[in-house]
């Protein structure tokens, strides 16, 4: 059970991947056996974890990132620091490459992604658990499926009464099954939610399901009250949907951390994700809270 403790300030802790995104723009995604020349190439900040940390920090949450990178690529660390994220718990591993992603982006903004986990799957679990011993019931732990240590971290955070938000991406039913008993909120897109509901029988042992449906909006199912909250998507013209789900999860978690109710958290997260898809890139394209508030001020209630 979470409670507010006036002596401690709440924070978001995120065991998450840090990737360098290599983005290739194409007219359409290649079919098997096809070779296509890209229209453009860019390099940016990514990783589902890093994107969620950027979103949470830009939403205004005190955010600590937990994870690992290779020994070089200092610009990545610097950029995450500049977003206001505490990077003191990110290890530099000389024998591992910083995680990276090859992102193919077609004309309508949809993508196909290949990741190389590198250091993201070499996080020292002992060090992780020592860090997580600082968590309290007012804190939130974010997790996605791009690092090792998910179950141990979720277990440790749950034991300290913290809220655990798990994003089931990239989707792996076995990974979901393993971590689920220690999760408070399971975040998924529509396709992932169908696979979870088809693959896991019986009631899910979590407090809530956050389901994002892209242009069809999002919903939160509170499994403790059976209430469902629905949020329509804001209409925008997408140029790049990469990181939209991460932006949603990071903003939603930051809003709950701030004490907002579900409806407010959903609206804020939907607006942040809508703004993100109007911009190219992943972590670099996540809007600030001021940008999100200005966008919302122009929308009908
Ligand atoms: O969710 C988008 C992210 O997935 C990209 O930034 C890429 O790095 C992969 O992890």
């Amino acid at each position: 059970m979470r409670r507010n403790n006036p002596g401690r300030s709440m924070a978001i802790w995120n065991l998450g991947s840090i990737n360098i995104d290599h983005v290739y723009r194409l007219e359409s995604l290649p079919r098997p056996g096809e070779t296509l020349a890209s229209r453009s190439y860019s390099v940016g900040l990514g990783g589902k974890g890093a994107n969620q940390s950027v979103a949470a920090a830009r939403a205004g949450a005190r955010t600590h990132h937990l994870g690992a990178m290779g020994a070089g690529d200092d610009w990545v660390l610097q950029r995450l620091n500049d977003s206001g994220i505490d990077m003191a718990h990110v290890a530099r591993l000389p024998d591992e490459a910083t995680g990276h992603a090859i992102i193919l982006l077609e004309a309508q903004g949809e993508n196909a992604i290949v990741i190389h986990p590198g250091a993201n799957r070499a996080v020292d679990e002992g060090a992780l658990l020592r860090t997580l011993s600082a968590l309290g019931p007012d804190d939130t732990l974010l997790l996605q499926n791009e690092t090792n240590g998910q179950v141990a971290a979720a277990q440790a955070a749950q034991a300290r009464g913290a809220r655990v938000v798990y994003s089931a991406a990239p989707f792996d039913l076995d990974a979901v099954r393993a971590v689920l008993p220690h999760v408070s909120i399971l975040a998924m897109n529509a396709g992932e939610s169908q696979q979870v509901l088809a693959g896991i029988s019986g009631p899910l042992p979590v407090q809530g399901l956050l389901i994002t449906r892209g242009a069809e909006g999002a919903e939160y199912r509170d499994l403790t009250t059976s209430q469902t909250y629905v949020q329509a998507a804001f209409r925008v013209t997408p140029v790049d949907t990469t990181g939209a789900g991460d932006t949603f999860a990071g903003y939603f978690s930051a809003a709950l951390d701030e004490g907002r109710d579900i409806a407010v958290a959903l609206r804020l997260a939907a607006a942040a994700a809508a703004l993100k898809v109007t911009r190219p890139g992943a972590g670099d394209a996540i809007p600030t809270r001021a940008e999100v508030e200005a966008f919302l001020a122009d929308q009908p209630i």
Side-chain angles (χ1 to χ4, degrees):
M1 174 63 74
R2 289 168 62 78
R3 57 198 152 74
N4 285 328
N5 179 344
R8 290 186 85 250
S9 71
M10 301 175 285
I12 289 195
W13 300 76
N14 182 8
L15 168 61
S17 56
I18 300 170
N19 287 344
I20 296 173
D21 285 356
H22 298 266
V23 184
Y24 302 84
R25 280 197 174 265
L26 305 154
E27 194 51 46
S28 58
L29 299 177
R31 292 185 298 274
E34 191 178 23
T35 301
L36 295 174
S38 73
R39 288 209 237 132
S40 71
Y41 165 66
S42 58
V43 177
L45 183 63
K48 295 184 194 307
N51 297 341
Q52 290 194 6
S53 280
V54 172
R58 292 195 177 154
R62 204 153 62 86
T63 306
H64 307 272
H65 195 92
L66 314 173
M69 290 175 52
D73 309 309
D74 289 351
W75 66 269
V76 174
L77 194 79
Q78 191 57 49
R79 212 172 278 183
L80 289 164
N81 256 317
D82 292 347
S83 293
I85 302 161
D86 167 33
M87 298 294 287
H89 304 288
V90 173
R92 308 304 295 273
L93 306 180
D95 296 334
E96 299 285 347
T98 299
H100 56 267
I102 304 297
I103 301 183
L104 306 181
L105 196 59
E106 52 89 278
Q108 273 70 47
E110 288 300 334
N111 62 36
I113 303 179
V114 176
I115 56 170
H116 173 70
N120 294 318
R121 289 274 179 192
V123 176
D124 177 339
E125 295 194 20
L128 181 64
L129 293 180
R130 282 192 292 282
T131 302
L132 290 174
S133 66
L135 261 68
D138 301 325
D139 292 319
T140 298
L141 175 70
L142 304 185
L143 299 163
Q144 320 77 32
N145 186 27
E146 287 187 343
T147 66
N148 62 303
Q150 296 159 34
V151 175
Q155 229 164 0
Q158 181 189 51
R160 286 164 181 77
R163 177 189 289 127
V164 179
V165 181
Y166 181 77
S167 296
F171 187 78
D172 175 347
L173 190 57
D174 288 337
V176 177
R177 271 205 191 97
V179 77
L180 209 57
H182 316 293
V183 169
S184 321
I185 296 176
L186 177 60
M188 305 165 284
N189 65 28
E192 291 158 355
S193 75
Q194 281 172 359
Q195 294 184 71
V196 166
L197 296 173
I200 299 179
S201 53
L204 299 177
V206 297
Q207 291 164 20
L209 303 178
L210 175 64
I211 303 173
T212 51
R213 302 183 192 282
E216 262 83 66
E219 69 184 62
Y220 180 81
R221 296 187 200 164
D222 186 331
L223 302 185
T224 66
T225 62
S226 299
Q227 192 172 351
T228 296
Y229 302 80
V230 175
Q231 172 66 52
F234 294 100
R235 281 220 196 130
V236 290
T237 305
V239 301
D240 184 352
T241 58
T242 313
D246 307 328
T247 303
F248 202 111
Y251 257 86
F252 182 79
S253 303
L256 294 187
D257 177 67
E258 196 180 288
R260 303 291 175 173
D261 63 29
I262 297 289
V264 172
L266 280 174
R267 187 170 159 81
L268 200 64
L275 270 178
K276 155 55 217 114
V277 303
T278 64
R279 303 169 176 182
D284 300 308
I286 295 171
T288 63
R289 179 69 173 262
E291 290 171 324
V292 173
E293 300 285 4
F295 174 82
L296 279 173
D298 284 343
Q299 304 298 319
I301 298 294

